[in-house]
Amino acid sequence: MAYSRADLRGSTLLGLRHVPILSFCGAAAALRCVRAYGAIAALMLARIFAIDARALAALRIGVCCVALLDLTLRVPDLSAHYTDRGMLARADALTWFRGYHDWTFCLHLIGGALWTQIALFALHAAALLCMLVGWHTRAASVGAWLLTLSLTVRNPFLSFGGDVLLRSLLFWMMLVPVGAAWSVDARRTSERPLSYCGIAGAGLLVQVWLVLFLSGLPKLGVGAWLQGQGLAFALDQEETARPLGWWLRSLPSLNAALSWTTVVIELVVSTLLWLPAWWLRVACVMLCWAMLAGIYATIDVYMFPMLTAVSLLVFVPARSWDWMEESFLRSDAGRGTRADHMAEVMSPVEPETGSSTAIRWSAGRYVREALAALAIVYLAVWNVGLWRGGESYEPPQPLAWFGRAAMMRQSWAMFTEFTRTGWFDAPGTLADGRAVDLLADGGPLPELEDALSAAQQKGRPADVHAAYGSTRWLSTFKIMRQFPDKDAHFAYYGRYLCREWNRRHSGYDQIVGFQIVFHGRQVGAHLDRMPVLEDYTSTVLWTHDCFQ
Amino acid sequence: MIATLKSWLAIDLRSLAALRIGVAVVALWDLGVRACDLAVHYTDAGTLARQDVLTWFDNRHDLAVSVHLLGGSTAIQALVFTLHAAALLAMMLGWHTRAATAASWLLTLSLHLRNPFLVYGADVLLRLLMLWGILLPLGARWSLDAATAPVAARERTHCFGIAAIGVQLQVAAVMFIAGAAKMATPFWLRGEGLATALDHEFHTRPLGFWVQRQGWLVRPLNHLVMGIEGAGAILVFAPRWPLRVLVVLAMWAMLAGIASTMEVGFFAHATAVALLVFVPSQAWDRIARAVSRSERLSRWRMRALGLTARWFPSARVDVVESGSRLPRLPHLLAELFAAWLIAYTAIWNVGFWYDRDYEPPAGFAELGSALFLWQQWGMFTSIETTGWFVVPGNLEDGRSIDLMANRGRLPTLEQAMEQPPDYRRPQHIAERLPNIHWQAHFATMVLAPDQPGPFRYYSRYLCREWNRRHSGGQALRTLQIIYMTRPTQPHPAAHAETEYERRVLWTHDCFG
């Protein structure tokens, strides 16, 4: 089902006008009547579920930019996170994360050396770049999706919500024509559909809505949010609070208002997106963006707000894109060749050919739509199951296989569990008895001087958020803290620190052993004042002997 | 000087084409044999899960790439096997020959790294031949590439260069080291080597037992084998073509003898194929003349060429020759790499000769281990024991079962219960295991009884898979891996049962 923009605007009324007359003309007419009503229903659905080709193109460009940014930010820790000399060797990953690896495939396991990982990262970047410019878009998006899954599975200690959203979006983007506008592919073909309406498109819209709606819904079951303190609690988590958020934490009345605003936007505004009035959609997208900008400014949840903002582009209606294109082209008119070139790239289609082009139903499209239908069923069953059955829910078999193999298991409950917040350090002893702090750089192996000087500094770091090496390291430590009874986490990390430190240092500089200590306090216990050192209790999570 | 060398050591392009087809056919055949145990040998539910193989390697081959590690399920392994077969098929047909050869080599390397316990001599030889093949114009004759190439590309008849010399040296080294190692072994010099080798019941076929009993035959054959291997490896470089043909034929005869008396998998086939590089132009000319005289054959050939042109009109022309004046830099790099390969192979083989734990010098070692250039050709020189394996298991309800009832693979309950573990000598020991890869797997255990790895992984496989299928009283509690063994001896005797010692190599508690 693909409709041009002209169809979508005018024909609903046209259908309605003929139906009552026809319905009196016997059985044959009744059939025609059913068909007519079917057509009306289809058009109504199309008004809701059609996505403008330019919206898909904007989504493609946005997601690729975020994914490329993420890939770049992973590069500094390439060796520490993904090679056999890092914190999780391949054998350890396969032993510890059996559950993951039984279902999926992981290209990043083919080699443990740095060069293999560099080659795979280059391949990943190439796939994303191809997708960004829209060159062989479908193949590139399949490649990008596979490599994204593979990268996540290589080191599951690093994952968090943003990764789940990224791979879900990439999954849907494989199935919809994201390269239909603003792409190299579109320039090389005359078949340029204006909009796309299909099962996969509906799935994409549902996915984008679910992220917002399901992060709002669980908040209604949490006392802190019902009392209007949810935001303050979220901001009280020092690991993720940015300076602006830390300041905002101490303003109770503003907090309460913003808490409720957040819940309303997540639940109500996101749902209003489904109404096919263009102005309403624009307004709702704007409100959601405002909320996401607020989150971005106050809390560091890495690429999550950016990705969510980008994903909301699919709800932006054709009229806005028309308006943007017109104003963009007018302002650029006559500015020389570059503007002309841009105009040619940006303009989706000429009016006369536009109305006749539709996406044909090829065999490939049947497969894609069937896959999309399966994924929608999965999302429905999974989310209902998760709501009723809790974390341990497992869907019935074919769906369970799909969910694990395509890694579509997802949970969007954010900021609903508030436990402890604080910072880590790893006091260790060198062969000659000197004290070092192996977490001087917040995760990666520090230099000797840094480790020595960090061991002298006691007390709360001035900026707890900055004390973590990167968001990926933060995720590692969060997972470690969540499962303190599972020794393997610490054992792998500890082995990495010992092995690499002693590979680089010899004699008296070698490390003998160390502890991993968490200094934490209860979130939301003292919202009225700044935390003092007495609030924190230190817990030794792990003791490691390097020469065991 | 160069001209003399050239006329002496240049390889006929038809020899290379024959080598290409031979290597691809043997490798495809071997892949088919391996595919019979796809789930048992290459998945996480098999004898060696991925984390086990990585633990076993312990970073020894961390520079290498194994594509087969990307998934642990049967479906993904089947996919990789299909890719592998496609690459070998393309290599056989000579379609995009160089790329196909490179892909075949990479996937073969990857397969061997996935389960190193199954690798034996023929695998190593095929892998090395593929690596050399990347550097040589394997597709210049009898290939789809050649059929669609312009006539000008068919002018050259020979290939000469460092890579061409290297592949000949490599093949000769296999033979020479096999011969020289025997000459350094006392019992081979005494004339008892062949009889001892044939006493290794693990491999011996019925004809082998018969030969072993013929005292008048086995002693001359012993010296003949040493002679063919040692002297033949040198004589095969002779600048007289009839002598070369004679040596190659003698070696083929010897390999045929080995294949008919011993179960050595594809070793004889692979070596016979490798010797094709020594077949001189004159021999091919004579064969070609004989073939062109047969009218029916040439008509068939014309039809095949026509079909080729119709089906593959645009096969890429890729007839870059070793020693040719074509692309300068890649060619130079290939020759440099070939020189490095020759140096590495020489250093490795000499080093290994003196010390079994030899490690090549740093800088050399990394690349060598990444390309998995390990080789060892001193065959049948250290055969101390022979025998067969019995793997008895104990169920929860106290019954004793035979876990070797399915020849190494996990047996069903009925198979395992059919009769209790039997410690009597079986009729045909060589047939107790399905194929050479299984024999290599068990030989790993015998050769390194102090390494718990292979025992532990295999026992874990048996426990895990058995207990996945059976529970309650039928659950497997313990198992043992027992080697029924006796020392090998050159003098055939009616091997009474009392001769065999029951050596328990490993005891495994499934719930421990």
PDB file of all heavy atoms in Angstrom, chain A residues 61-86:
ATOM      1  N   ILE A  61      19.533   9.767   8.002  1.00  0.00           N
ATOM      2  CA  ILE A  61      20.714  10.605   8.193  1.00  0.00           C
ATOM      3  C   ILE A  61      20.996  10.809   9.680  1.00  0.00           C
ATOM      4  O   ILE A  61      22.130  10.685  10.142  1.00  0.00           O
ATOM      5  CB  ILE A  61      20.519  11.941   7.457  1.00  0.00           C
ATOM      6  CG1 ILE A  61      20.507  11.681   5.944  1.00  0.00           C
ATOM      7  CG2 ILE A  61      21.604  12.933   7.826  1.00  0.00           C
ATOM      8  CD1 ILE A  61      20.018  12.827   5.118  1.00  0.00           C
ATOM      9  N   GLY A  62      19.924  11.072  10.427  1.00  0.00           N
ATOM     10  CA  GLY A  62      20.089  11.316  11.861  1.00  0.00           C
ATOM     11  C   GLY A  62      20.644  10.103  12.581  1.00  0.00           C
ATOM     12  O   GLY A  62      21.624  10.197  13.335  1.00  0.00           O
ATOM     13  N   VAL A  63      20.036   8.940  12.334  1.00  0.00           N
ATOM     14  CA  VAL A  63      20.476   7.728  13.033  1.00  0.00           C
ATOM     15  C   VAL A  63      21.916   7.401  12.665  1.00  0.00           C
ATOM     16  O   VAL A  63      22.728   7.036  13.522  1.00  0.00           O
ATOM     17  CB  VAL A  63      19.531   6.552  12.713  1.00  0.00           C
ATOM     18  CG1 VAL A  63      20.130   5.241  13.167  1.00  0.00           C
ATOM     19  CG2 VAL A  63      18.189   6.780  13.360  1.00  0.00           C
ATOM     20  N   CYS A  64      22.249   7.564  11.374  1.00  0.00           N
ATOM     21  CA  CYS A  64      23.621   7.268  10.962  1.00  0.00           C
ATOM     22  C   CYS A  64      24.611   8.196  11.644  1.00  0.00           C
ATOM     23  O   CYS A  64      25.685   7.760  12.062  1.00  0.00           O
ATOM     24  CB  CYS A  64      23.772   7.381   9.451  1.00  0.00           C
ATOM     25  SG  CYS A  64      23.052   5.998   8.617  1.00  0.00           S
ATOM     26  N   CYS A  65      24.254   9.482  11.754  1.00  0.00           N
ATOM     27  CA  CYS A  65      25.166  10.422  12.411  1.00  0.00           C
ATOM     28  C   CYS A  65      25.385  10.019  13.861  1.00  0.00           C
ATOM     29  O   CYS A  65      26.524   9.979  14.351  1.00  0.00           O
ATOM     30  CB  CYS A  65      24.619  11.847  12.340  1.00  0.00           C
ATOM     31  SG  CYS A  65      24.759  12.537  10.700  1.00  0.00           S
ATOM     32  N   VAL A  66      24.291   9.703  14.560  1.00  0.00           N
ATOM     33  CA  VAL A  66      24.436   9.320  15.969  1.00  0.00           C
ATOM     34  C   VAL A  66      25.263   8.045  16.078  1.00  0.00           C
ATOM     35  O   VAL A  66      26.155   7.920  16.927  1.00  0.00           O
ATOM     36  CB  VAL A  66      23.047   9.141  16.620  1.00  0.00           C
ATOM     37  CG1 VAL A  66      23.195   8.652  18.046  1.00  0.00           C
ATOM     38  CG2 VAL A  66      22.282  10.442  16.589  1.00  0.00           C
ATOM     39  N   ALA A  67      24.976   7.076  15.190  1.00  0.00           N
ATOM     40  CA  ALA A  67      25.696   5.801  15.264  1.00  0.00           C
ATOM     41  C   ALA A  67      27.180   6.001  14.968  1.00  0.00           C
ATOM     42  O   ALA A  67      28.037   5.388  15.619  1.00  0.00           O
ATOM     43  CB  ALA A  67      25.091   4.802  14.286  1.00  0.00           C
ATOM     44  N   LEU A  68      27.485   6.868  14.011  1.00  0.00           N
ATOM     45  CA  LEU A  68      28.889   7.135  13.703  1.00  0.00           C
ATOM     46  C   LEU A  68      29.583   7.820  14.875  1.00  0.00           C
ATOM     47  O   LEU A  68      30.725   7.498  15.204  1.00  0.00           O
ATOM     48  CB  LEU A  68      28.996   8.008  12.446  1.00  0.00           C
ATOM     49  CG  LEU A  68      28.931   7.256  11.127  1.00  0.00           C
ATOM     50  CD1 LEU A  68      28.782   8.220   9.965  1.00  0.00           C
ATOM     51  CD2 LEU A  68      30.190   6.408  10.924  1.00  0.00           C
ATOM     52  N   LEU A  69      28.852   8.737  15.502  1.00  0.00           N
ATOM     53  CA  LEU A  69      29.402   9.419  16.677  1.00  0.00           C
ATOM     54  C   LEU A  69      29.701   8.405  17.772  1.00  0.00           C
ATOM     55  O   LEU A  69      30.774   8.399  18.390  1.00  0.00           O
ATOM     56  CB  LEU A  69      28.392  10.462  17.162  1.00  0.00           C
ATOM     57  CG  LEU A  69      28.822  11.295  18.363  1.00  0.00           C
ATOM     58  CD1 LEU A  69      29.981  12.187  17.970  1.00  0.00           C
ATOM     59  CD2 LEU A  69      27.659  12.121  18.886  1.00  0.00           C
ATOM     60  N   ASP A  70      28.748   7.490  17.977  1.00  0.00           N
ATOM     61  CA  ASP A  70      28.918   6.461  19.001  1.00  0.00           C
ATOM     62  C   ASP A  70      30.127   5.596  18.685  1.00  0.00           C
ATOM     63  O   ASP A  70      30.952   5.304  19.553  1.00  0.00           O
ATOM     64  CB  ASP A  70      27.648   5.618  19.067  1.00  0.00           C
ATOM     65  CG  ASP A  70      27.830   4.389  19.924  1.00  0.00           C
ATOM     66  OD1 ASP A  70      28.332   4.542  21.040  1.00  0.00           O
ATOM     67  OD2 ASP A  70      27.483   3.289  19.469  1.00  0.00           O
ATOM     68  N   LEU A  71      30.245   5.229  17.418  1.00  0.00           N
ATOM     69  CA  LEU A  71      31.377   4.379  17.000  1.00  0.00           C
ATOM     70  C   LEU A  71      32.700   5.103  17.257  1.00  0.00           C
ATOM     71  O   LEU A  71      33.669   4.506  17.736  1.00  0.00           O
ATOM     72  CB  LEU A  71      31.224   4.049  15.516  1.00  0.00           C
ATOM     73  CG  LEU A  71      31.922   2.787  15.041  1.00  0.00           C
ATOM     74  CD1 LEU A  71      31.364   1.571  15.735  1.00  0.00           C
ATOM     75  CD2 LEU A  71      31.775   2.645  13.540  1.00  0.00           C
ATOM     76  N   THR A  72      32.727   6.399  16.962  1.00  0.00           N
ATOM     77  CA  THR A  72      33.946   7.183  17.191  1.00  0.00           C
ATOM     78  C   THR A  72      34.291   7.215  18.675  1.00  0.00           C
ATOM     79  O   THR A  72      35.454   7.095  19.053  1.00  0.00           O
ATOM     80  CB  THR A  72      33.745   8.618  16.681  1.00  0.00           C
ATOM     81  OG1 THR A  72      33.097   8.535  15.414  1.00  0.00           O
ATOM     82  CG2 THR A  72      35.057   9.329  16.529  1.00  0.00           C
ATOM     83  N   LEU A  73      33.245   7.368  19.511  1.00  0.00           N
ATOM     84  CA  LEU A  73      33.507   7.458  20.944  1.00  0.00           C
ATOM     85  C   LEU A  73      33.958   6.112  21.516  1.00  0.00           C
ATOM     86  O   LEU A  73      34.532   6.055  22.601  1.00  0.00           O
ATOM     87  CB  LEU A  73      32.255   7.937  21.675  1.00  0.00           C
ATOM     88  CG  LEU A  73      31.877   9.391  21.398  1.00  0.00           C
ATOM     89  CD1 LEU A  73      30.578   9.747  22.078  1.00  0.00           C
ATOM     90  CD2 LEU A  73      32.988  10.315  21.861  1.00  0.00           C
ATOM     91  N   ARG A  74      33.690   5.023  20.783  1.00  0.00           N
ATOM     92  CA  ARG A  74      34.135   3.712  21.254  1.00  0.00           C
ATOM     93  C   ARG A  74      35.613   3.477  20.943  1.00  0.00           C
ATOM     94  O   ARG A  74      36.250   2.632  21.566  1.00  0.00           O
ATOM     95  CB  ARG A  74      33.336   2.599  20.574  1.00  0.00           C
ATOM     96  CG  ARG A  74      31.918   2.415  21.085  1.00  0.00           C
ATOM     97  CD  ARG A  74      31.225   1.397  20.195  1.00  0.00           C
ATOM     98  NE  ARG A  74      29.806   1.242  20.451  1.00  0.00           N
ATOM     99  CZ  ARG A  74      29.297   0.249  21.186  1.00  0.00           C
ATOM    100  NH1 ARG A  74      30.082  -0.627  21.751  1.00  0.00           N
ATOM    101  NH2 ARG A  74      27.991   0.155  21.349  1.00  0.00           N
ATOM    102  N   VAL A  75      36.135   4.219  19.953  1.00  0.00           N
ATOM    103  CA  VAL A  75      37.493   3.935  19.464  1.00  0.00           C
ATOM    104  C   VAL A  75      38.575   4.041  20.544  1.00  0.00           C
ATOM    105  O   VAL A  75      39.444   3.179  20.618  1.00  0.00           O
ATOM    106  CB  VAL A  75      37.828   4.821  18.249  1.00  0.00           C
ATOM    107  CG1 VAL A  75      39.296   4.763  17.915  1.00  0.00           C
ATOM    108  CG2 VAL A  75      37.018   4.372  17.051  1.00  0.00           C
ATOM    109  N   PRO A  76      38.562   5.071  21.435  1.00  0.00           N
ATOM    110  CA  PRO A  76      39.643   5.147  22.422  1.00  0.00           C
ATOM    111  C   PRO A  76      39.770   3.885  23.270  1.00  0.00           C
ATOM    112  O   PRO A  76      40.861   3.557  23.723  1.00  0.00           O
ATOM    113  CB  PRO A  76      39.237   6.347  23.284  1.00  0.00           C
ATOM    114  CG  PRO A  76      38.381   7.165  22.413  1.00  0.00           C
ATOM    115  CD  PRO A  76      37.667   6.228  21.502  1.00  0.00           C
ATOM    116  N   ASP A  77      38.658   3.186  23.493  1.00  0.00           N
ATOM    117  CA  ASP A  77      38.713   1.993  24.324  1.00  0.00           C
ATOM    118  C   ASP A  77      38.697   0.717  23.494  1.00  0.00           C
ATOM    119  O   ASP A  77      38.346  -0.352  24.003  1.00  0.00           O
ATOM    120  CB  ASP A  77      37.529   1.997  25.300  1.00  0.00           C
ATOM    121  CG  ASP A  77      37.688   3.064  26.357  1.00  0.00           C
ATOM    122  OD1 ASP A  77      38.811   3.209  26.848  1.00  0.00           O
ATOM    123  OD2 ASP A  77      36.704   3.746  26.671  1.00  0.00           O
ATOM    124  N   LEU A  78      39.064   0.828  22.228  1.00  0.00           N
ATOM    125  CA  LEU A  78      39.008  -0.327  21.322  1.00  0.00           C
ATOM    126  C   LEU A  78      39.742  -1.529  21.897  1.00  0.00           C
ATOM    127  O   LEU A  78      39.208  -2.642  21.961  1.00  0.00           O
ATOM    128  CB  LEU A  78      39.655   0.082  19.994  1.00  0.00           C
ATOM    129  CG  LEU A  78      39.385  -0.786  18.787  1.00  0.00           C
ATOM    130  CD1 LEU A  78      37.917  -0.810  18.474  1.00  0.00           C
ATOM    131  CD2 LEU A  78      40.147  -0.268  17.594  1.00  0.00           C
ATOM    132  N   SER A  79      40.952  -1.283  22.358  1.00  0.00           N
ATOM    133  CA  SER A  79      41.758  -2.396  22.854  1.00  0.00           C
ATOM    134  C   SER A  79      41.224  -2.902  24.194  1.00  0.00           C
ATOM    135  O   SER A  79      41.136  -4.102  24.421  1.00  0.00           O
ATOM    136  CB  SER A  79      43.209  -1.953  22.990  1.00  0.00           C
ATOM    137  OG  SER A  79      43.965  -2.992  23.514  1.00  0.00           O
ATOM    138  N   ALA A  80      40.864  -1.971  25.066  1.00  0.00           N
ATOM    139  CA  ALA A  80      40.444  -2.373  26.407  1.00  0.00           C
ATOM    140  C   ALA A  80      39.085  -3.077  26.400  1.00  0.00           C
ATOM    141  O   ALA A  80      38.794  -3.868  27.278  1.00  0.00           O
ATOM    142  CB  ALA A  80      40.381  -1.148  27.315  1.00  0.00           C
ATOM    143  N   HIS A  81      38.251  -2.789  25.427  1.00  0.00           N
ATOM    144  CA  HIS A  81      36.894  -3.338  25.464  1.00  0.00           C
ATOM    145  C   HIS A  81      36.664  -4.518  24.541  1.00  0.00           C
ATOM    146  O   HIS A  81      35.775  -5.321  24.778  1.00  0.00           O
ATOM    147  CB  HIS A  81      35.883  -2.245  25.097  1.00  0.00           C
ATOM    148  CG  HIS A  81      35.586  -1.319  26.226  1.00  0.00           C
ATOM    149  ND1 HIS A  81      35.035  -0.070  26.050  1.00  0.00           N
ATOM    150  CD2 HIS A  81      35.762  -1.445  27.545  1.00  0.00           C
ATOM    151  CE1 HIS A  81      34.894   0.513  27.216  1.00  0.00           C
ATOM    152  NE2 HIS A  81      35.332  -0.300  28.136  1.00  0.00           N
ATOM    153  N   TYR A  82      37.414  -4.610  23.455  1.00  0.00           N
ATOM    154  CA  TYR A  82      37.012  -5.582  22.438  1.00  0.00           C
ATOM    155  C   TYR A  82      38.074  -6.603  22.057  1.00  0.00           C
ATOM    156  O   TYR A  82      37.810  -7.461  21.236  1.00  0.00           O
ATOM    157  CB  TYR A  82      36.556  -4.846  21.166  1.00  0.00           C
ATOM    158  CG  TYR A  82      35.509  -3.805  21.431  1.00  0.00           C
ATOM    159  CD1 TYR A  82      35.818  -2.461  21.445  1.00  0.00           C
ATOM    160  CD2 TYR A  82      34.197  -4.189  21.708  1.00  0.00           C
ATOM    161  CE1 TYR A  82      34.859  -1.509  21.725  1.00  0.00           C
ATOM    162  CE2 TYR A  82      33.235  -3.250  21.985  1.00  0.00           C
ATOM    163  CZ  TYR A  82      33.574  -1.910  21.991  1.00  0.00           C
ATOM    164  OH  TYR A  82      32.620  -0.983  22.267  1.00  0.00           O
ATOM    165  N   THR A  83      39.288  -6.493  22.597  1.00  0.00           N
ATOM    166  CA  THR A  83      40.304  -7.472  22.201  1.00  0.00           C
ATOM    167  C   THR A  83      40.516  -8.496  23.319  1.00  0.00           C
ATOM    168  O   THR A  83      40.014  -8.340  24.429  1.00  0.00           O
ATOM    169  CB  THR A  83      41.651  -6.791  21.904  1.00  0.00           C
ATOM    170  OG1 THR A  83      42.153  -6.255  23.126  1.00  0.00           O
ATOM    171  CG2 THR A  83      41.494  -5.684  20.889  1.00  0.00           C
ATOM    172  N   ASP A  84      41.303  -9.514  23.000  1.00  0.00           N
ATOM    173  CA  ASP A  84      41.596 -10.543  24.000  1.00  0.00           C
ATOM    174  C   ASP A  84      42.514 -10.019  25.096  1.00  0.00           C
ATOM    175  O   ASP A  84      42.692 -10.674  26.112  1.00  0.00           O
ATOM    176  CB  ASP A  84      42.243 -11.757  23.324  1.00  0.00           C
ATOM    177  CG  ASP A  84      41.201 -12.631  22.669  1.00  0.00           C
ATOM    178  OD1 ASP A  84      40.005 -12.366  22.843  1.00  0.00           O
ATOM    179  OD2 ASP A  84      41.582 -13.590  21.970  1.00  0.00           O
ATOM    180  N   ARG A  85      43.129  -8.867  24.888  1.00  0.00           N
ATOM    181  CA  ARG A  85      43.962  -8.274  25.932  1.00  0.00           C
ATOM    182  C   ARG A  85      43.179  -7.292  26.780  1.00  0.00           C
ATOM    183  O   ARG A  85      43.742  -6.611  27.627  1.00  0.00           O
ATOM    184  CB  ARG A  85      45.144  -7.546  25.304  1.00  0.00           C
ATOM    185  CG  ARG A  85      46.113  -8.504  24.682  1.00  0.00           C
ATOM    186  CD  ARG A  85      47.442  -7.854  24.510  1.00  0.00           C
ATOM    187  NE  ARG A  85      48.410  -8.861  24.126  1.00  0.00           N
ATOM    188  CZ  ARG A  85      49.673  -8.584  23.851  1.00  0.00           C
ATOM    189  NH1 ARG A  85      50.085  -7.349  23.926  1.00  0.00           N
ATOM    190  NH2 ARG A  85      50.509  -9.537  23.531  1.00  0.00           N
ATOM    191  N   GLY A  86      41.902  -7.178  26.530  1.00  0.00           N
ATOM    192  CA  GLY A  86      41.090  -6.202  27.235  1.00  0.00           C
ATOM    193  C   GLY A  86      40.381  -6.805  28.434  1.00  0.00           C
ATOM    194  O   GLY A  86      40.771  -7.855  28.942  1.00  0.00           O
TER     195      GLY A  86
END
